[in-house]
Amino acid sequence: MTTEELMAQDFGTLSALIAAQGRDRPTHLALVDGERSVDYAGLNTLMDRIAAALQRDGVGPNEAAAICATTSLEYAAVFMGALRAGAAAAPLAPSSTADSLVMMLNDCGAKVFFLDAGVAALLEPVADQITARRVALDGSPSAGVAFEDWLAPEGAAPQAVEVGPNDPFNIIYSSGTTGTPKGIVQPHAMRWGQVRRGIYSVDAVTMISTPLYSNTTLVSFLPTLGNGGTAVLMPKFDAEKFLKLSAQHRATHAMLVPVQYRRIMERPDFDTYDLSSFVLKFSTSAPFSPEVKADVLRRWPGGLIEFYGMTEGGGSCMLVAHEHPDKLHTVGQPMNGHDIRLIDEDGKEVPQGHVGEVVGRSGAMMVGYHNQPGKTRDAEWYSPDGLRFIRTGDVGRFDEDGFLTLMDRKKDMIISGGFNIYPSDMELELAKHEDVLESAVVGVPSDRWGETPVAYVTLRPGKTATPDDIKTWLNARVGKTQRLADVVLIDNLPRSHIGKVLKKDLRDSYKGPALTA
């Protein structure tokens, strides 16, 4: 079948699509990695060799191939090759602790583990606990057998496998840096729906500047390849390099997290780059300030779309920012086919305009947490008519036009003296201070109030506001229950690999006077 015939099907596989791209557009660039690149014919052949080698090593349907390395052409090919073998790809975060990586490898049961020298060094203290065959994507002797030596010979073809809509496509682990990792199993049907959204085409040139182990990246990377576009890989994000590569390759699409947008827009030379080829830019994974959205719309050609959702799936919202510049404080409206509701502490739906926990349902939902049925049940909510929803843990409110405003993560909400305080309200206000670059408000224990709000603040370059200045300024502008107990100046807010502020780290590190307030 041609790519067009495959795309017309209600269900198909990404592996079959890339094989068709290899036949229909063999010389079209699929992946660019620095000075190296591979076309669709080359990628298809490489996937065959990887899949054949995995099957030779006993990896096939209902198995997983684990990958933990810096983004590279080989990494991308292994991810795709695992799918062709009928296995699920299990991309693991190199930022995880060694013990967490061992837990994740054991949980997914990987027989083959792809890594690089950096990860090998991290795992050295626990190397004897890893039973999977180690393959060095970068060829480093310390990591394992060299990728080129491990590959099946040229011309090798894997055994054909049947893949169903609910079969696992990938296992993405959350909480990989702290706590017990949870393997989120996402099915082929979910990814097929993302490929067929119609956002990307054969003409797409997509900048891949977030890690390939992140769902944020995959929702852009996979549809680009499925639709025959070109993915430009960045092993590590750098704002200047992103702009240079975008101009060089005439990029049309990019998925960036909000902190990346901020760093790009802050560059004094931003307006000197030719970005006129951009069609659409996307954002997800963390709160996106309305001010930065407005700046992107004003100065960066092409549209801007913000997605709100979870790796676990469920319901998602979409803000087409260039069509709704008056709604930049929201995350948009539920996408077509997505059912988003708000529930209270008792699991009952709240009326429009009221605050509640966000739950969602769609065709894009995880099967569950791998080997953790209890946590899977905790993540689910069932409507009175028996429909399954995924709980987000986020608190929000719908406006009269059906746009969702997020208040905060449920666990980040501060309860002070019996009053609910939403840190996002205070952070939006702090953003109006001329000296404040960004902030994070957290609740710390208080003898008097149970919890009390503390703001961690980073200043703009050259600004000199003191903690007392900021505290006095904000407390004069907010309600009595929202007043800050303390302000802590910090050079940089701690963030996860996809730019989320690690508020737990801030709460745990606080040692100031608010603890006895």
Side-chain angles (χ1 to χ4, degrees):
M1 277 192 279
T2 66
T3 53
E4 289 75 17
E5 289 170 333
L6 284 169
M7 290 289 281
Q9 297 181 138
D10 290 336
F11 174 71
T13 67
L14 187 58
S15 173
L17 265 182
I18 292 177
Q21 300 287 4
R23 294 190 301 269
D24 298 348
R25 305 175 182 90
T27 61
H28 192 75
L29 276 184
L31 300 169
V32 176
D33 179 8
E35 298 301 315
R36 302 185 302 150
S37 63
V38 63
D39 58 25
Y40 274 94
L43 176 59
N44 185 54
T45 299
L46 185 54
M47 286 169 58
D48 273 349
R49 295 176 67 191
I50 292 167
L54 285 169
Q55 290 177 344
R56 176 199 67 207
D57 289 353
V59 181
N62 300 313
E63 303 275 355
I67 318 168
C68 188
T70 300
T71 296
S72 66
L73 190 153
E74 289 79 11
Y75 188 131
V78 164
F79 196 114
M80 296 296 132
L83 301 176
R84 182 158 292 174
L92 313 179
S95 56
S96 305
T97 65
D99 287 340
S100 286
L101 284 174
V102 170
M103 291 170 65
M104 289 184 269
L105 285 168
N106 289 337
D107 182 69
C108 72
K111 295 175 182 174
V112 181
F113 177 35
F114 300 89
L115 66 164
D116 58 18
V119 174
L122 171 69
L123 290 173
E124 198 169 318
V126 295
D128 59 342
Q129 300 178 41
I130 298 172
T131 58
R133 184 177 189 188
R134 293 165 43 138
V135 179
L137 290 180
D138 59 353
S140 59
S142 62
V145 59
F147 177 67
E148 289 293 335
D149 295 335
W150 171 84
L151 272 176
E154 290 188 24
Q159 295 177 351
V161 294
E162 290 290 329
V163 174
N166 292 319
D167 287 340
F169 182 102
N170 56 253
I171 306 172
I172 294 182
Y173 284 86
S174 65
S175 302
T177 14
T178 59
T180 303
K182 294 179 293 186
I184 301 165
V185 182
Q186 296 169 321
H188 277 264
M190 175 179 174
R191 295 303 189 189
W192 185 251
Q194 291 170 347
V195 168
R196 295 181 72 219
R197 274 180 186 165
I199 292 174
Y200 300 86
S201 71
V202 67
D203 299 318
V205 178
T206 303
M207 297 298 299
I208 305 296
S209 62
T210 46
L212 282 173
Y213 54 81
S214 166
N215 190 59
T216 295
T217 312
L218 296 178
V219 297
S220 180
F221 172 69
L222 299 173
T224 296
L225 292 185
N227 286 277
T230 301
V232 180
L233 307 176
M234 289 187 69
K236 183 179 180 181
F237 175 75
D238 173 83
E240 181 181 18
K241 189 166 186 180
F242 175 90
L243 289 167
K244 287 181 176 178
L245 287 173
S246 295
Q248 175 189 340
H249 293 288
R250 304 297 294 158
T252 61
H253 295 73
M255 171 70 82
L256 296 158
V257 295
V259 68
Q260 291 175 317
Y261 278 107
R262 182 172 60 76
R263 289 173 184 169
I264 289 169
M265 302 310 294
E266 283 175 351
R267 286 197 60 84
D269 61 349
F270 173 83
D271 296 315
T272 67
Y273 291 93
D274 180 5
L275 304 179
S276 59
S277 57
F278 269 96
V279 176
L280 279 174
K281 304 170 296 298
F282 306 97
S283 183
T284 189
S285 297
F288 195 177
S289 111
E291 292 78 17
V292 179
K293 291 181 201 176
D295 194 24
V296 172
L297 289 177
R298 184 169 56 251
R299 296 198 288 146
W300 193 335
L304 175 64
I305 294 177
E306 180 180 10
F307 290 113
Y308 163 70
M310 296 177 66
T311 303
E312 288 87 339
S316 294
C317 288
M318 181 170 71
L319 173 66
V320 185
H322 50 282
E323 293 181 1
H324 299 283
D326 59 329
K327 298 290 187 178
L328 300 186
H329 60 289
T330 78
V331 292
Q333 298 166 301
M335 295 173 60
N336 288 336
H338 291 238
D339 185 354
I340 306 284
R341 306 185 192 184
L342 304 179
I343 61 172
D344 62 19
E345 292 288 343
D346 298 322
K348 296 179 180 178
E349 289 185 54
V350 303
Q352 187 272 322
H354 287 241
V355 173
E357 181 186 354
V358 182
V359 298
R361 170 182 171 79
S362 70
M365 299 172 73
M366 70 170 179
V367 176
Y369 292 119
H370 195 245
N371 294 331
Q372 298 195 53
K375 290 188 181 297
T376 299
R377 287 191 296 273
D378 290 343
E380 297 170 331
W381 175 80
Y382 285 85
S383 64
D385 53 354
L387 296 178
R388 177 177 177 256
F389 288 70
I390 301 295
R391 304 181 73 134
T392 67
D394 291 330
V395 176
R397 177 176 54 221
F398 279 110
D399 68 15
E400 63 279 5
D401 298 316
F403 285 75
L404 178 65
T405 298
L406 293 181
M407 313 303 290
D408 273 295
R409 292 289 293 165
K410 190 175 179 181
K411 65 184 179 183
D412 290 333
M413 186 176 71
I414 302 166
I415 303 176
S416 183
F419 291 94
N420 292 346
I421 299 174
Y422 298 103
S424 59
D425 289 341
M426 303 166 74
E427 290 159 1
L428 283 171
E429 199 63 34
L430 282 165
K432 298 175 184 177
H433 191 292
E434 62 181 6
D435 285 13
V436 173
L437 177 62
E438 58 180 350
S439 68
V441 176
V442 300
V444 302
S446 164
D447 291 341
R448 185 178 181 187
W449 304 110
E451 283 185 304
T452 193
V454 168
Y456 282 81
V457 171
T458 66
L459 297 179
R460 295 184 182 278
K463 298 299 183 180
T464 58
T466 67
D468 281 344
D469 292 338
I470 295 170
K471 181 174 137 180
T472 300
W473 180 89
L474 181 76
N475 287 352
R477 300 165 70 96
V478 297
K480 185 176 180 181
T481 59
Q482 294 175 301
R483 291 175 185 169
L484 290 172
D486 197 9
V487 171
V488 180
L489 296 184
I490 188 171
D491 291 337
N492 294 289
L493 297 177
R495 296 183 184 274
S496 70
H497 64 274
I498 53 172
K500 289 183 180 178
V501 175
L502 301 174
K503 289 194 171 184
K504 182 178 184 300
D505 289 3
L506 294 175
R507 281 192 292 267
D508 292 348
S509 67
Y510 183 75
K511 306 295 182 187
L515 289 173
T516 57

